[in-house]
């Protein structure tokens, strides 16, 4: 146990030294994991499209109509994460650990609050939103997928915000690894939920949430449980 604590402290020192050291070196060190994460996110969305295409044009159209809403949700998580990332990094640079920890906690609390309020509002107005978007012919299919995603919004936002907090500490590799794990899991379990379990379009939503839940649990362990234990 003591060896694990010492190893964790050493890793933290290395991560912090990256973001507080030479800016050029930090940019080189931090940029490629972020680029990999972006490519993985693209592959993640592409996998959903490929597997859903096998269900027919209506299911593919339904997925397409929800995609703008989905991207807004992901953008919301990225926005919270970017704000927390900036303030935490600046606090670390100023050697203000208390402020950095406080920012991380508030970032996660804001994520939790939005994850409760946003689904209630969106689900209530979902049919009206879909009709305004012109999805009348596939509104029921789109709603089937959307309700599952919105019900599990917490895991989508938490994984995004949590990964940003890790990056703010210079821990870009673990943040990248989580994104890779999420994408690979989604690619593997998508066809299982869609075709083998015969859940159709809703199966793609369940697969997305399950893969995000696993990555969220890993991040939760790294950010909270492991810090408490050590």
């Amino acid at each position: 146990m003591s060896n694990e604590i010492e190893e964790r402290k050493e890793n933290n020192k290395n991560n912090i030294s990256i973001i507080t050291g030479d800016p050029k070196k930090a940019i080189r060190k931090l940029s490629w994991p972020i680029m990999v994460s972006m490519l993985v996110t693209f592959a993640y969305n592409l996998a959903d499209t490929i597997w859903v295409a096998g269900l027919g044009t209506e299911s593919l159209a339904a997925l397409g109509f929800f995609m703008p809403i989905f991207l807004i949700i992901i953008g919301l998580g990225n926005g919270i994460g970017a704000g927390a990332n900036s303030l935490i990094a600046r606090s670390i640079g100023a050697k203000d650990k208390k402020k950095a920890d406080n920012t991380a906690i508030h970032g996660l609390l804001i994520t939790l609050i939005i994850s409760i309020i946003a689904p209630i509002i969106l689900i209530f107005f979902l049919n009206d939103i879909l009709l305004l978007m012109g999805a009348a012919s596939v509104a029921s299919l789109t709603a089937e997928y959307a309700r599952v995603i919105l019900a599990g919004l917490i895991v989508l936002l938490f994984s995004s915000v949590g990964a940003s907090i890790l990056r703010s500490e210079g821990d870009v590799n673990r943040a990248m690894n989580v994104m890779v794990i999420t994408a690979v899991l989604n690619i593997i379990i998508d066809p299982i939920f869609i075709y083998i379990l015969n859940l159709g379009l809703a199966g793609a939503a369940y697969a997305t949430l399950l893969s995000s839940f696993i990555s969220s649990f890993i991040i939760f362990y790294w950010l909270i449980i492991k810090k408490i234990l050590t």
Side-chain angles (χ1 to χ4, degrees), residues 92-103:
I92 291 174
K95 302 187 187 311
D96 190 345
K97 184 179 182 299
K98 184 178 179 180
K99 186 175 182 180
D101 290 341
N102 189 51
T103 301

Side-chain angles (χ1 to χ4, degrees), residues 28-39:
R28 288 195 299 270
K29 191 82 174 178
L30 300 177
S31 60
W32 73 267
I34 294 174
M35 289 188 290
V36 171
S37 298
M38 293 174 68
L39 288 172

Side-chain angles (χ1 to χ4, degrees), residues 66 73 115-116 118-120 122-123 143-156 205-206 209:
F66 183 70
I73 292 171
S115 299
I116 294 172
I120 294 173
L122 288 173
I123 290 175
E144 179 185 347
Y145 179 88
R147 288 192 181 100
V148 176
I149 292 293
L150 293 173
L153 185 61
I154 178 63
V155 295
L156 294 173
Y206 285 120
L209 291 186

Side-chain angles (χ1 to χ4, degrees), residues 183-225:
V184 171
L185 279 174
N186 189 58
I187 291 169
I188 293 172
I189 64 179
D190 248 352
I192 297 174
F193 277 76
I194 295 172
Y195 300 108
I196 297 177
L197 298 180
N198 201 31
L199 293 174
L201 186 58
Y206 285 120
T208 296
L209 291 186
L210 179 58
S211 57
S212 295
F213 171 78
I214 293 172
S215 65
S216 293
F217 180 80
I218 295 171
I219 292 174
F220 181 80
Y221 174 77
W222 283 338
L223 287 178
I224 299 174
I225 297 177

Side-chain angles (χ1 to χ4, degrees), residues 75-96:
L76 185 62
N78 290 338
I80 297 171
N85 184 309
S86 175
L87 188 52
I88 291 171
R90 282 183 282 135
S91 299
I92 291 174
K95 302 187 187 311
D96 190 345

Side-chain angles (χ1 to χ4, degrees), residues 68-190:
I69 301 174
F70 182 78
L71 292 176
I72 289 172
I73 292 171
I74 297 301
L76 185 62
N78 290 338
I80 297 171
N85 184 309
S86 175
L87 188 52
I88 291 171
R90 282 183 282 135
S91 299
I92 291 174
K95 302 187 187 311
D96 190 345
K97 184 179 182 299
K98 184 178 179 180
K99 186 175 182 180
D101 290 341
N102 189 51
T103 301
I105 291 170
H106 278 80
L108 295 177
L109 284 175
I110 292 171
T111 301
L112 177 62
I113 293 169
I114 291 176
S115 299
I116 294 172
I117 296 174
I120 294 173
I121 296 173
L122 288 173
I123 290 175
F124 184 79
F125 293 105
L126 184 60
N127 287 331
D128 294 329
I129 293 171
L130 294 176
L131 289 176
L132 285 172
M133 293 174 65
S137 59
V138 291
S140 59
L141 268 176
T142 307
E144 179 185 347
Y145 179 88
R147 288 192 181 100
V148 176
I149 292 293
L150 293 173
L153 185 61
I154 178 63
V155 295
L156 294 173
L157 293 183
F158 184 87
S159 60
S160 177
V161 175
S164 292
I165 292 174
L166 288 174
R167 283 194 289 268
S168 70
E169 298 174 350
D171 202 348
V172 288
N173 288 328
R174 285 203 295 186
M176 178 190 68
N177 291 339
V178 166
M179 295 296 294
V180 172
I181 289 170
T182 303
V184 171
L185 279 174
N186 189 58
I187 291 169
I188 293 172
I189 64 179
D190 248 352

